[in-house]
């Protein structure tokens, strides 16, 4: 570990934010150069390297851009900043922890993980309404409560008191967050919807949807002792009582002034809305034009539903990438951090990266970080999500009798051609690439449970028996965050004006609902995440007693013994399991990095997480496909051998493999018995030097299976180590 201090840096071949710099741009022209400067590598790391999910959000600030189209009266959303539209007409919506859609997905993942129940039993609808106006308003009420509390603390303290200044700083941050949406009409719509509902349906019980006309009164005892409610006397200035006595009128003024100073085009209606939202003052206006308010409510609701629908459809591919990065880092779930996984994001589309004009740039970068005896920035793994998976056997319909799925223009996936071009480049740099297929109903656990793995095997057939086969790792199935059939979100119901007042309609056609159409995470993110995590000895120590702190987890075989039940993903079970027929087929083919959602127990405790069932590359072996650890051990030994022998000097290779107790081979043999020992029981290592061809042939034996490694020898003049 003191020579090769990390074996888990991963390169994500994906575009996250087209407005940010990418690898091709930063590397630049490489004509006539073999390697980048240290300064250039440092610059690449500053822009593209992340060590945590929060750092990823911070560096790449994934965003959606919106603008209004006056022709069709709609909000338009796009992932790329629109050109030819003035900047002031474009709103940038950051997709981060404060975005309600992303926050809802995080809550859903955490809840599902804590309950550990399958998709069929999980109540998705209880969490999906987090993006409805009602839940958005609930969040604002919490913020409001905190602002009022902090303001109360602030007012109590004397001017100049250091504590008052600290509280002032906190209030400034709260106001900053509250004021972010003053100019965002779309963010104000849920407030307007809930505000009208609150004022028109005032006095109704929580679960009622109708309201009668209200006249605020007071309870009295009449002359004969009878109880009656009489109309409350109006005050001279025609204002009603405060709902929240503790709310200070000063705070009302602060919000009004704050809105006026920050709003680009102030509107008295929106100013009142902001003030009412954060300082609930007038309970009811003396005169409310009910017909206008009902019409406003229904217009706002329709507009919000349509806009939210368009937003979700636009943002979903980006959100699936964001969730993928989060799931990669989530797999390293331990308190005692050791070799923490890191991710270098190319921020460029794969087909752009593998263009013949750009390949030299990628090669020069990889030559710089992967072909030197400095292993700080070495890339060990790669992730390619969303590889196209064509469907076969779809019957062409000449006449549509019933409404079916709209023919959607598919998001740009990665082609098999682009993937094989990439593999052809990275094989020389010994990077093992996890790739997964397009997300959707055809690549889920449910689909694999019924259809098996044949379509994946057929699709990947072109990657076998190639020089790069051992570096290609197909990962399946993809993870379902929200199933398509359970992805409906009820926004709210239309409002009706009746002779008694107003009420929310109970008719089915008046309930506004949008469909998210399912959210999925590519299996390649989780596969790379779990393999990167178990490279760390500290991570392995959380699951095993016999771990050697001096070695990474390159020789750890997750398929051996009960390893897969000890090292589990953070993803919760999705289905009740695969049938024996499907499992037999998977075992017979021994194909791919396959995840399993099975009932299992370890030491009398149930495993409620998804586990790894197979961990194989596209390299063929006697029993199907080869284990990924064999390639990883081979790469690790080759890199260490190059370092310790001064670039494969003849006499130093002999010393490396000698029986001398101080040789590297002797040290490895002496430390067998750990779960991450480089040479395990049943393993062996031997070499033959071919003087004629100047090659050293190394045989690595894993449980009786031999893997060959060849290195070119450098002839030395003395027996001294370089």
């Amino acid at each position: 570990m003191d020579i090769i201090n990390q074996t888990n840096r991963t390169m994500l071949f994906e575009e996250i934010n087209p407005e940010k710099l990418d690898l091709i741009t930063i590397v630049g022209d490489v004509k006539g150069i073999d390697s980048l400067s240290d300064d250039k590598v440092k610059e690449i790391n500053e822009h593209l390297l992340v060590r945590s999910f929060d750092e990823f959000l911070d560096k790449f600030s994934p965003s959606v851009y919106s603008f209004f189209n006056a022709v069709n009266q709609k909000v338009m959303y796009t992932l790329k900043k629109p050109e030819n539209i003035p900047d002031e007409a474009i709103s940038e919506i950051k997709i981060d922890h404060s975005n309600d859609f992303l926050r809802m997905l995080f809550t859903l993942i955490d809840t599902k993980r804590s309950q550990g129940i399958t998709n069929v039993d999980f109540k998705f609808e209880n969490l999906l309404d987090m993006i409805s106006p009602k839940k958005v308003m609930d969040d604002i009420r919490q913020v409001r409560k905190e602002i009022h509390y902090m303001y109360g603390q602030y007012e109590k303290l004397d001017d100049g008191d250091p504590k008052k200044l600290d509280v002032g700083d906190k209030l400034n941050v709260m106001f900053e967050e509250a004021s972010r949406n003053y100019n965002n009409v779309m963010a104000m719509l849920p407030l307007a919807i809930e505000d009208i509902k609150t004022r028109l349906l005032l006095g109704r019980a929580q679960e009622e949807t109708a309201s009668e006309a209200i006249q605020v009164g007071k309870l009295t005892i009449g002359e004969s002792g009878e109880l009656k409610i009489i109309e409350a006397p109006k005050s001279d200035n025609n204002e009603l009582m405060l709902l929240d006595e503790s709310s200070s009128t000063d705070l009302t003024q602060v919000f009004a002034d704050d809105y006026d100073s920050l709003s680009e085009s102030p509107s008295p209606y929106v100013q009142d809305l902001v003030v009412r939202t954060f300082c609930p003052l007038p309970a009811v206006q003396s005169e409310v034009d009910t017909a206008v308010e009902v019409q406003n409510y229904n217009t706002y609701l329709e507009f919000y539903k349509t806009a939210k629908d368009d937003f979700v459809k636009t943002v979903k591919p980006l959100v699936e990438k964001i969730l993928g990065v989060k799931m990669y880092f989530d797999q390293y779930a331990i308190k005692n951090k050791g070799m923490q996984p890191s991710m270098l994001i190319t921020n460029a589309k794969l087909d752009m990266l593998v263009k013949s004009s750009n390949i030299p740039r990628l090669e020069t970068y990889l030559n710089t970080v992967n072909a030197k005896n400095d292993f700080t920035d070495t890339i060990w793994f790669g992730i390619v999500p969303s590889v196209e998976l064509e469907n076969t056997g779809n019957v062409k319909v000449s006449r549509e009798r019933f409404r079916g799925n709209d023919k959607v223009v598919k998001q740009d996936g990665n082609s098999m051609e682009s993937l094989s071009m990439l593999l052809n480049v990275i094989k020389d740099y010994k990077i093992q690439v996890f790739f997964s297929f397009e997300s959707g109903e055809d690549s889920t656990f449910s689909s694999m449970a019924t259809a098996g793995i044949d379509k994946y095997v057929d699709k990947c057939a072109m990657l076998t028996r190639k020089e790069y086969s051992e570096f290609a790792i197909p990962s399946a199935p993809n993870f379902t965050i929200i199933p398509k059939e359970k992805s409906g979100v009820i926004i709210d119901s239309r409002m009706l004006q009746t002779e008694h007042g107003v009420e929310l309609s109970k008719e089915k056609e008046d309930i506004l609902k949008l469909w998210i159409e399912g959210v999925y995470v590519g299996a390649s993110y989780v596969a790379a995440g779990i393999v990167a995590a178990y490279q760390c000895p500290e991570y392995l120590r959380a699951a095993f007693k016999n771990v050697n702190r001096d070695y990474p987890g390159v020789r750890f075989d997750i398929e051996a013994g009960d390893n897969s039940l000890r090292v589990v993903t953070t993803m919760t079970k999705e289905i009740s399991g695969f049938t024996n027929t499907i499992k037999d087929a998977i075992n017979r083919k021994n194909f791919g990095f396959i995840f399993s959602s099975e009932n299992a127990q370890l030491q009398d405790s149930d495993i409620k997480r998804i586990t790894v069932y197979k961990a194989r590359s596209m390299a063929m072996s006697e029993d199907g496909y080869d284990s990924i650890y064999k390639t990883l051990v081979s790469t690790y030994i080759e890199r260490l051998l190059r370092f310790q022998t001064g670039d494969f000097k003849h006499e130093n290779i002999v010393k490396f493999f000698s029986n001398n107790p101080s040789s590297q081979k002797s040290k490895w043999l002496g430390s067998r018995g750990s779960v991450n020992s480089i040479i395990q029981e049943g393993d062996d290592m031997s070499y033959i030097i071919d003087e004629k061809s100047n090659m050293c042939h190394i045989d690595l034996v894993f449980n009786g299976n031999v893997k060959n490694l060849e290195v070119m020898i450098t002839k030395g003049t003395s027996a001294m180590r370089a």
Side-chain angles (χ1 to χ4, degrees), residues 250-268:
D250 295 351
L251 200 50
T252 311
Q253 200 53 49
V254 173
F255 269 106
D257 295 345
D258 196 42
Y259 172 79
D260 282 338
S261 59
L262 287 176
S263 181
E264 290 155 10
S265 49
S267 143

Side-chain angles (χ1 to χ4, degrees), residues 483-495:
K484 187 177 176 180
E485 71 279 5
K486 292 192 171 190
S487 65
V489 182
I490 293 174
I491 298 296
D492 216 324
S493 297
R494 289 188 182 89
M495 196 180 278

Side-chain angles (χ1 to χ4, degrees), residues 292-525:
V292 170
E293 293 282 23
V294 168
Q295 189 184 349
N296 280 350
Y297 175 86
N298 288 333
T299 307
Y300 294 164
L301 200 61
E302 290 274 1
F303 192 85
Y304 180 77
K305 185 259 175 193
T306 307
K308 201 72 179 176
D309 211 0
D310 292 341
F311 171 76
V312 164
K313 283 179 174 52
T314 304
V315 81
K316 202 174 72 166
L318 175 61
V319 160
E320 290 182 338
K321 293 176 195 177
I322 294 170
L323 288 176
V325 174
K326 180 170 166 56
M327 293 307 111
Y328 168 84
F329 284 110
D330 274 4
Q331 302 316 307
Y332 188 69
I334 57 162
K335 290 195 174 90
N336 298 329
K337 302 285 187 245
M339 189 203 294
Q340 214 163 335
S342 54
M343 181 184 271
L344 189 115
I345 298 165
T346 60
N347 200 33
K349 289 192 165 82
L350 182 63
D351 56 359
M352 189 70 182
L353 198 69
V354 297
K355 275 186 179 172
S356 55
S357 54
N358 290 329
I359 278 180
R361 300 186 183 195
L362 175 63
E363 286 179 324
T364 307
Y365 172 71
L366 292 177
N367 211 33
T368 309
V369 295
N370 274 36
K372 288 184 177 175
N373 283 347
D374 177 359
F375 305 103
T376 314
D377 293 307
T378 303
I379 308 286
W380 294 79
F381 305 118
I383 297 174
V384 176
S386 301
V387 175
E388 288 165 357
L389 183 68
E390 291 97 22
N391 286 334
T392 49
N394 284 350
V395 180
K396 195 173 182 204
V397 177
S398 57
R399 181 168 174 264
E400 198 175 71
R401 281 90 171 166
F402 306 97
R403 187 172 172 194
N405 285 309
D406 295 329
K407 297 290 173 276
V408 191
V409 179
K410 276 196 144 180
Q411 289 296 325
D412 293 340
N414 294 313
S415 68
M416 262 317 203
E417 289 71 25
S418 296
L419 176 63
S420 51
M421 283 278 287
L422 175 73
L423 289 165
N424 203 38
V425 172
I426 58 92
K427 72 177 188 305
D428 299 331
Y429 303 98
K430 308 286 173 78
I431 297 169
Q432 290 173 272
V433 174
F434 296 87
F435 64 94
S436 51
F437 296 94
E438 284 172 320
S439 60
E441 291 296 284
D442 299 326
S443 54
T444 59
F445 278 89
S446 298
S447 170
M448 188 178 278
T450 52
I453 60 166
D454 288 349
K455 63 182 169 194
Y456 301 110
V457 177
D458 295 344
K459 184 72 179 168
C460 296
M462 61 182 285
L463 302 177
T464 56
R465 296 184 176 84
K466 302 279 194 303
E467 278 187 66
Y468 55 67
S469 295
E470 64 178 305
F471 299 104
I473 307 170
S475 313
N478 291 332
F479 296 86
T480 304
I481 306 302
I482 305 173
K484 187 177 176 180
E485 71 279 5
K486 292 192 171 190
S487 65
V489 182
I490 293 174
I491 298 296
D492 216 324
S493 297
R494 289 188 182 89
M495 196 180 278
L496 305 174
Q497 192 170 3
T498 65
E499 54 192 41
H500 302 298
V502 294
E503 66 179 30
L504 294 179
S505 172
K506 294 186 181 71
E507 297 301 319
K508 193 177 178 182
E509 61 270 19
D510 285 335
I511 295 171
L512 297 186
K513 190 172 188 176
L514 67 86
W515 289 88
I516 296 172
E517 299 284 339
V519 177
Y520 309 90
V521 168
S524 53
Y525 290 103

Side-chain angles (χ1 to χ4, degrees), residues 32-72:
I33 62 170
D34 182 54
S35 171
L36 303 175
S37 68
D38 289 353
D39 286 341
K40 184 58 79 176
V41 172
K42 189 179 177 189
E43 186 189 351
I44 289 168
N45 289 349
E46 276 170 12
H47 289 285
L48 305 178
L49 181 70
V50 294
R51 288 186 168 83
S52 69
F53 178 63
D54 287 338
E55 188 183 358
F56 160 74
L57 288 180
D58 190 44
K59 270 191 185 177
F60 287 89
S61 63
S63 303
V64 172
Y65 300 92
S66 74
F67 60 94
F68 297 99
N69 185 350
V71 177
N72 61 8

Side-chain angles (χ1 to χ4, degrees), residues 55-56 136 154 164 192 206 308 322 454 518 537 540 551 610 701:
E55 188 183 358
F56 160 74
V136 172
Y154 184 79
K164 182 163 188 167
Q206 198 66 40
K308 201 72 179 176
I322 294 170
D454 288 349
L540 289 172
Y551 303 136
I610 283 173
V701 182

